[in-house]
Coordinates of all heavy atoms in Angstrom, one line a residue:
Chain A
L52 N 18.7 21.6 -1.9 CA 18.7 20.2 -1.9 C 18.4 19.7 -0.5 O 17.7 18.7 -0.3 CB 20.2 19.7 -2.3 CG 20.4 19.7 -3.8 CD1 21.9 19.5 -4.0 CD2 19.6 18.7 -4.5
A63 N 7.9 10.5 3.8 CA 8.0 9.1 4.1 C 7.6 8.8 5.6 O 6.9 7.9 5.9 CB 9.4 8.6 3.8
T65 N 6.0 10.7 7.6 CA 4.6 11.0 7.9 C 3.7 9.8 7.5 O 2.8 9.4 8.2 CB 4.2 12.2 7.1 OG1 5.0 13.3 7.5 CG2 2.7 12.6 7.4
N69 N 1.4 7.8 9.9 CA -0.1 7.6 9.7 C -0.5 6.1 9.8 O -1.6 5.8 10.2 CB -0.5 8.1 8.4 CG -0.4 9.6 8.3 OD1 -0.4 10.3 9.4 ND2 -0.3 10.2 7.1
S82 N 16.8 -4.5 28.3 CA 18.0 -4.8 27.6 C 19.2 -4.3 28.3 O 19.4 -3.2 28.8 CB 18.0 -4.0 26.3 OG 17.7 -2.6 26.5
V99 N 6.6 6.3 25.4 CA 5.3 7.0 25.3 C 5.4 7.8 24.0 O 6.4 8.5 23.8 CB 5.0 7.9 26.5 CG1 3.8 8.7 26.3 CG2 5.0 7.0 27.7
V106 N 0.5 22.0 26.7 CA 0.5 21.9 28.2 C 0.1 23.2 28.8 O -0.7 23.2 29.7 CB 1.9 21.5 28.7 CG1 1.9 21.5 30.1 CG2 2.3 20.2 28.1
T117 N 8.6 11.0 26.0 CA 9.0 10.4 27.3 C 9.8 9.2 27.1 O 9.6 8.4 26.2 CB 7.7 10.0 28.1 OG1 6.9 11.2 28.3 CG2 8.1 9.5 29.5
K118 N 10.7 9.0 27.9 CA 11.4 7.7 27.9 C 11.4 7.2 29.4 O 11.2 7.9 30.3 CB 12.9 7.9 27.5 CG 13.7 8.7 28.4 CD 15.1 8.8 27.9 CE 16.0 9.6 28.8 NZ 17.4 9.8 28.3
R153 N 8.2 15.1 41.2 CA 8.7 15.3 39.9 C 9.7 16.4 39.9 O 9.5 17.5 40.4 CB 7.5 15.7 38.9 CG 7.9 16.0 37.5 CD 6.8 16.3 36.7 NE 5.8 15.2 36.6 CZ 4.6 15.3 36.1 NH1 4.1 16.5 35.7 NH2 3.8 14.2 36.0
Q183 N 10.9 8.0 34.8 CA 10.1 8.5 33.6 C 10.6 9.9 33.3 O 10.5 10.8 34.1 CB 8.6 8.5 33.8 CG 8.1 7.1 34.0 CD 6.6 7.1 34.3 OE1 6.1 8.0 35.0 NE2 5.9 6.1 33.9
T185 N 10.5 13.0 30.8 CA 9.8 13.6 29.8 C 10.5 14.9 29.3 O 10.9 15.7 30.1 CB 8.4 14.1 30.3 OG1 7.7 12.9 30.8 CG2 7.6 14.8 29.2
G188 N 10.5 20.4 24.3 CA 11.3 21.4 23.6 C 12.6 20.8 23.1 O 13.0 19.7 23.4
S243 N 13.1 24.9 12.9 CA 12.6 25.2 14.2 C 12.0 26.5 14.2 O 12.6 27.5 13.8 CB 13.7 25.1 15.2 OG 13.3 25.6 16.4
S246 N 14.1 29.0 15.9 CA 15.4 29.3 15.4 C 15.3 29.7 14.0 O 16.1 29.3 13.2 CB 16.4 28.1 15.6 OG 15.9 27.1 14.8
D254 N 24.3 30.0 10.9 CA 25.2 29.3 11.8 C 25.1 27.8 11.7 O 26.0 27.1 11.7 CB 25.0 29.8 13.2 CG 25.4 31.2 13.4 OD1 26.2 31.7 12.6 OD2 25.0 31.8 14.4
S290 N 9.1 -5.7 5.3 CA 9.7 -6.9 4.7 C 10.9 -7.3 5.6 O 11.6 -6.5 6.1 CB 10.2 -6.6 3.3 OG 11.1 -7.6 2.9
F293 N 13.9 -6.0 4.3 CA 14.0 -4.5 4.2 C 15.0 -4.0 5.2 O 15.8 -3.1 4.9 CB 12.6 -3.9 4.5 CG 12.6 -2.4 4.2 CD1 12.7 -2.0 2.9 CD2 12.5 -1.5 5.2 CE1 12.6 -0.7 2.6 CE2 12.4 -0.2 4.9 CZ 12.5 0.2 3.6
T310 N 24.9 1.7 15.6 CA 25.4 2.4 16.7 C 26.6 3.0 16.3 O 27.4 2.5 15.6 CB 25.7 1.4 17.9 OG1 27.1 1.4 18.0 CG2 25.2 0.1 17.6
K342 N 22.3 15.3 12.6 CA 21.6 16.4 12.1 C 20.2 16.0 11.6 O 19.4 16.8 11.5 CB 22.4 17.0 10.9 CG 23.8 17.5 11.3 CD 23.7 18.5 12.5 CE 25.0 18.9 12.9 NZ 25.0 19.6 14.1
N352 N 5.8 14.4 14.4 CA 5.0 15.0 13.3 C 3.6 15.1 13.8 O 3.0 14.2 14.3 CB 5.0 14.2 12.1 CG 6.1 14.6 11.2 OD1 6.5 15.8 11.2 ND2 6.7 13.7 10.4

Side-chain angles (χ1 to χ4, degrees):
Chain A
L52 281 171
T65 300
N69 290 339
S82 52
V99 178
V106 177
T117 303
K118 68 177 179 182
R153 176 181 297 168
Q183 294 178 327
T185 300
S243 167
S246 61
D254 290 343
S290 163
F293 192 67
T310 112
K342 300 303 175 190
N352 270 330

